[in-house]
Amino acid sequence: MKRKNIIIAITTFVVVSILAIWVCSRWQVWFHNPEEPYYHSQASPHRVLLTFGDGKELSRNISWQADSVLRPSYLELVLLPDGDTVRVNAVGEVFRSRSGVAAYYVARLRQLQPVAHYAYRAVTNGVASRWYEFQTYSEHRDSLSFLYVGDVQDTIGGLANRFLREAIHRHPQNEFIVCGGDLTERPIDENWAETFRDVDSICQTLPLLNVTGNHDYLKGVIMSLERRFSLVFSYFLDSKIGDNQVYSLCYGPTQFFLLDSNRELPYLLTQRNWLEKQLKASTARWKIVVLHHPLFSMKGYNNLIQRWMFNGLIEEYGVDLVLQGHEHAYARMTRHDENGNAVTPVYTISHFSPKNYRIQFDDRFDKFGISSRYYQTVNIKGDTLTLATYEVYGHTLYDSLQIVKPSEQQAKVLDYGVDIPEFMEYTPQPGSKKDQAYAKRIADYVQRHPERVKH
């Protein structure tokens, strides 16, 4: 009996020691929040952002930041070319972060005309921003085009603004931008400033639709999302369900469903109920879900709870496309039926960040991309959705497919990316065992699928 107790004690000690070492090794990743340097909000309107509003195609919200106390604020809106200037009152709120205070404002536009061109500027305490312009499109169309980016998380002084400008220039048909979360590196003011440099002169003209990512949260035993996230992406102010950042937008022939995949199980259950009600009620021809964590991970068995919560609904209610981020590489997965035919939903994982992560090469995926940055264009016209993926360096086409969905018929997925070689060159850091192991994993994948890879 004594010997048995000694064995139990030793085993317990070893297990606890291993667990303690593991927790210590992950402490920074799980719980450390970088200090936020002190900041002072400038008095004039700045960080202006154009987003969507109440979930209807012609609604827009325009948010901005000005001063650290509330001042009289409004938006001046002009219907071009020669309309009168209309004043739209703004609602303000003061937010105090860990190291500073700023006042945020939002003007809600709910009476916009279709197929119209507008100019606007934000005014706080008599001081105005520069003029910006945006346009609206005809309602009840069977077409639309938008640009999708995964994680941006640009470094201070990074290149995201240049790459976004180039992408918009090459694809001028895009009507708005969708981001799969982690647009900002960390929830501190200097990173928010970098985010607004990234979207400067872009997302004041094209609306930005963004979901929450894990980098948007403050770390802790229970993560928390600062109020300023919703004050910037102001459609969440009215669309949240409890403490869940969810939002649905009906636009042309498509309905978008935005989820917050960062939350704990009780919150995910609430989101599941919301998603099911939204999908049941949807009459949209096309359905697109956007969330941060991939339901089918490139890194093994991650995100199983999110998959368990949402994927059954996504398949049951005919979602066509699932746009995801988080894993800092590119992958596309197309489901197949019992006869081997490619069917919807199509799942993509993408990122726009200077950081690249090591991934697994699960054969469930049809396409991979490493060591680069990517964006997608989605074009819908009638019964066809075209998804194209581009590398930012040279804006070369990296992947392409079409979903064809005639009325009352099963959707077909046409894979054109199979004819575009994957780029799998990788240079490991000298002396890095993890890099060496990753290089070996890449080589194994290339050996399994030589037909996919650029030689």
Side-chain angles (χ1 to χ4, degrees), residues 366-385:
D366 303 291
K367 192 86 172 180
F368 289 106
I370 62 172
S371 302
S372 191
R373 304 160 77 165
Y374 309 87
Y375 64 89
Q376 284 75 48
T377 60
V378 178
N379 296 286
I380 294 174
K381 188 172 183 179
D383 65 1
T384 302
L385 180 153

Side-chain angles (χ1 to χ4, degrees), residues 110-327:
R110 298 295 183 268
Q111 295 181 322
L112 298 174
Q113 298 180 21
V115 199
H117 191 186
Y118 289 93
Y120 71 92
R121 65 178 181 177
V123 182
T124 293
N125 204 30
V127 180
S129 71
R130 56 163 286 195
W131 285 97
Y132 301 100
E133 296 181 13
F134 71 92
Q135 66 185 89
T136 61
Y137 300 84
S138 60
E139 295 182 278
H140 313 302
R141 294 168 296 144
D142 68 351
S143 63
L144 72 84
S145 298
F146 67 91
L147 184 85
Y148 174 76
V149 294
D151 308 36
V152 176
Q153 295 177 249
D154 210 12
T155 51
I156 302 297
L159 299 175
N161 183 262
R162 177 191 131 193
F163 291 143
L164 280 172
R165 285 172 180 265
E166 291 173 353
I168 295 298
H169 177 74
R170 289 171 179 266
H171 308 281
Q173 77 278 10
N174 286 300
E175 301 166 28
F176 54 94
I177 298 174
V178 179
C179 180
D182 282 3
L183 179 62
T184 303
E185 171 63 18
R186 285 295 174 196
I188 60 180
D189 186 74
E190 63 180 0
N191 289 127
W192 276 108
E194 182 62 19
T195 293
F196 277 92
R197 284 192 288 271
D198 290 341
V199 302
D200 181 52
S201 299
I202 300 171
C203 294
Q204 296 76 38
T205 298
L206 297 178
L208 175 62
L209 196 60
N210 183 33
V211 300
T212 49
N214 59 297
H215 278 248
D216 298 309
Y217 276 79
L218 287 171
K219 298 177 184 179
V221 176
I222 297 178
M223 300 191 307
S224 61
L225 185 71
E226 291 181 324
R227 174 74 170 174
R228 64 178 152 184
F229 185 90
S230 297
L231 294 172
V232 172
F233 302 105
S234 53
Y235 43 86
F236 285 128
L237 293 174
D238 302 319
S239 71
K240 288 196 303 183
I241 303 298
D243 198 26
N244 291 276
Q245 308 288 125
V246 293
Y247 177 70
S248 179
L249 170 68
C250 294
Y251 192 102
T254 306
Q255 187 166 356
F256 294 83
F257 307 88
L258 275 60
L259 298 169
D260 183 356
S261 58
N262 306 275
R263 301 311 306 271
E264 299 80 14
L265 182 59
Y267 296 96
L268 295 179
L269 282 167
T270 300
Q271 291 184 45
R272 175 187 166 83
N273 293 336
W274 172 86
L275 180 62
E276 184 167 25
K277 290 177 182 178
Q278 291 286 324
L279 288 170
K280 275 185 177 179
S282 178
T283 59
R285 183 169 192 174
W286 299 93
K287 300 178 182 67
I288 297 176
V289 168
V290 188
L291 75 167
H292 185 59
H293 292 81
L295 299 182
F296 294 89
S297 172
M298 289 187 285
K299 302 181 74 176
Y301 294 98
N302 292 352
N303 317 324
L304 292 179
I305 293 177
Q306 288 89 340
R307 189 198 306 178
W308 175 55
M309 282 289 147
F310 302 128
N311 197 61
L313 298 177
I314 285 169
E315 293 183 349
E316 179 181 355
Y317 291 101
V319 171
D320 301 285
L321 184 61
V322 182
L323 299 172
Q324 307 154 116
H326 187 57
E327 295 187 347

Side-chain angles (χ1 to χ4, degrees), residues 131 346 351:
W131 285 97
V346 173
H351 83 111

